[in-house]
Amino acid sequence: QLSGLIACHHALPRQLALSTLSEAAQQVRLHTLSVTCLTAHRRMQLVDGLARRFDQVSALVQEAGSLLAAWPKLGSWLVNEFAADGASLSLGEGCEVWGEGFEPEVLSFFDNWFVAEKLDAVWLSDSLSRKVPDFPLSGVAGVLAIKARLSGGRMLRLYLMRHEYTHD
């Protein structure tokens, strides 16, 4: 696996000493190790930060007794936390909306498409009209879509939506 590449250019052909090449290789290994450590540290900080931020979600749900009962506070929190225009929570056949989201017929279309498609559990698009075949006309331009299978076979779907902003 290539961990680094150093190119040396000179006007005349030169033969570098083995000690110089060894030193360069050592510097590349040291740099690669530093980058790997930094990446791992940042990933740990991100996960820790997300865990702390989402502890609020767990507390809201436990306090309310269920996800649906917590939705008014949870929907508001999600919209604020992710700077979204709207949020939608679907459990089985029911759907709860917070803020400005999909129009009802567009929500039904997108929900059916998202459940039927073999996509990752987390899917993101900033242009639904380009990514979703035959997507109907909607004020929603982008969505973060999450799906999870719950006990009992029910499917949870969470959509965070952003409206299209047009400028003259």
Side-chain angles (χ1 to χ4, degrees):
Q1 181 180 355
L2 180 65
S3 59
L5 179 65
I6 297 176
C8 301
H9 300 277
H10 195 275
L12 301 172
R14 302 188 91 170
Q15 187 72 25
L16 294 176
L18 184 58
S19 61
T20 303
L21 292 174
S22 294
E23 177 64 25
Q26 178 62 27
Q27 291 298 321
V28 168
R29 282 192 293 277
L30 181 62
H31 176 73
T32 301
L33 181 61
S34 298
V35 168
T36 302
C37 288
L38 178 64
T39 302
H41 180 70
R42 285 187 176 166
R43 184 174 294 131
M44 288 177 4
Q45 283 181 321
L46 176 65
V47 169
D48 185 50
L50 286 173
R52 268 193 258 117
R53 284 170 49 192
F54 283 96
D55 281 346
Q56 295 175 5
V57 172
S58 180
L60 283 174
V61 173
Q62 287 178 352
E63 181 182 305
S66 74
L67 192 56
L68 286 175
W71 180 250
K73 289 181 181 177
L74 184 57
S76 174
W77 183 84
L78 286 167
V79 165
N80 289 329
E81 187 70 18
F82 290 96
D85 294 314
S88 172
L89 174 69
S90 298
L91 285 167
E93 299 301 317
C95 179
E96 298 290 329
V97 178
W98 181 266
E100 300 175 43
F102 285 122
E103 300 81 1
E105 63 280 355
V106 177
L107 175 59
S108 178
F109 175 89
F110 182 78
D111 194 47
N112 289 333
W113 176 83
F114 184 59
V115 169
E117 288 296 307
K118 302 232 183 310
L119 300 169
D120 291 334
V122 178
W123 186 81
L124 174 70
S125 174
D126 61 352
S127 179
L128 291 169
S129 60
R130 286 191 301 222
K131 297 274 180 132
V132 179
D134 303 318
F135 187 73
L137 187 61
S138 172
V140 174
V143 68
L144 167 64
I146 301 169
K147 62 183 168 184
R149 180 114 8 230
L150 302 176
S151 60
R154 292 187 314 161
M155 174 83 69
L156 173 138
R157 283 101 55 218
L158 175 66
Y159 306 126
L160 298 175
M161 297 150 284
R162 286 234 172 116
H163 282 267
E164 183 160 2
Y165 297 103
T166 57
H167 304 279
D168 291 335

